Amino acid sequence: MSNLVVHGFTGSTYVRTVRLLLAEIGAEYTLHSVNIFNGESQSPEYLKKHPFGKIPTLEVDGELLYETGAITEYLDTVLADRQFSFAEPMRQARMRQIMGIIDSYLYAPAIGTIVIQSLIVPSQGGKPDEDKVHQAIAPATKALEAIESIATGDVYLLGDTISIADFYLIPIFVYLSQTPAFETITAQTPKLRTWWEKASQLPNVQKVCV
Ligand SMILES: N[C@@H](CCC(=O)N[C@@H](CS)C(=O)NCC(=O)O)C(=O)O
């Protein structure tokens, strides 16, 4: 078994995606803290690991790998015999499509604006920028409705088995479901609401996403 180090911090949705997968696999790893709020992720030392200063970075026996999609597919292949992906090409493409929608269209409005403004800013004594939240609702809703149209309506996003697509969306829902905008954003996504009722109760979600 390789020596695995995840560089990141426990609150990050992308770090949680990787850690959810590792928890489901039952793999041992070390979590090395890199704080994104105190400039640590932009330090010269960390930028040698990840030139864009994002988390997570995975270290495998000293070799560095960044980008959550690359990390999760690597771990799934070498540690789980692709148990969290799909052999059927279209279903595998749907999984990658959901990951792409989250990266390109959901993360920025949902986490970068709605969650930061509704949860993080007030937790630090600030006042949320309601205009920013208001403007983020339409793109976040559109992204979730796109995922809804792909989701199969089974137990997990793409069937009866959990996949990397679920590990991408779960950490976002952990935060988004605590915001006042959640009801509006998910008003037209009944499959995702039902999915979330079950996904939020998974033991590893309770362990990793706290
Ligand atoms: N494309 C990257 C995105 C990672 C990402 O955006 N991580 C966030 C934390 S959830 C981050 O590092 N934010 C710090 C920043 O943007 O300075 C991936 O797939 O890993």
Side-chain angles (χ1 to χ4, degrees), residues 9 11-16 18 35-37 41-42 46 50 52-57 66-71 103 107 111 168:
F9 89 112
S12 151
T13 60
Y14 282 109
V15 172
R16 287 177 174 185
V18 171
N35 193 328
I36 57 172
F37 294 116
S41 55
Q42 298 296 328
Y46 186 68
H50 192 317
F52 301 99
K54 304 276 185 186
I55 52 171
T57 297
Y66 62 83
E67 287 305 297
T68 302
I71 293 170
D103 284 338
Y107 181 87
I111 300 296
Y168 259 67

Side-chain angles (χ1 to χ4, degrees), residues 86 88-99 150 158:
F86 298 98
E88 200 264 301
M90 182 52 84
R91 204 161 281 222
Q92 176 68 2
R94 293 297 183 201
M95 185 185 93
R96 286 171 174 271
Q97 189 181 10
I98 290 175
M99 293 156 68
I150 295 166
L158 291 169

Side-chain angles (χ1 to χ4, degrees), residues 71-142:
I71 293 170
T72 47
E73 292 203 35
Y74 170 80
L75 291 171
D76 185 28
T77 303
V78 298
L79 298 181
D81 202 17
R82 297 185 59 76
Q83 196 186 323
F84 302 100
S85 304
F86 298 98
E88 200 264 301
M90 182 52 84
R91 204 161 281 222
Q92 176 68 2
R94 293 297 183 201
M95 185 185 93
R96 286 171 174 271
Q97 189 181 10
I98 290 175
M99 293 156 68
I101 291 169
I102 291 170
D103 284 338
S104 301
Y105 311 115
L106 181 63
Y107 181 87
I111 300 296
T113 302
I114 296 171
V115 167
I116 294 283
Q117 291 300 324
S118 307
L119 303 181
I120 309 295
V121 168
S123 77
Q124 294 173 347
K127 192 171 172 298
D129 186 330
E130 295 298 345
D131 283 347
K132 278 192 184 168
V133 173
H134 186 71
Q135 283 171 26
I137 284 178
T141 304
K142 185 171 177 176

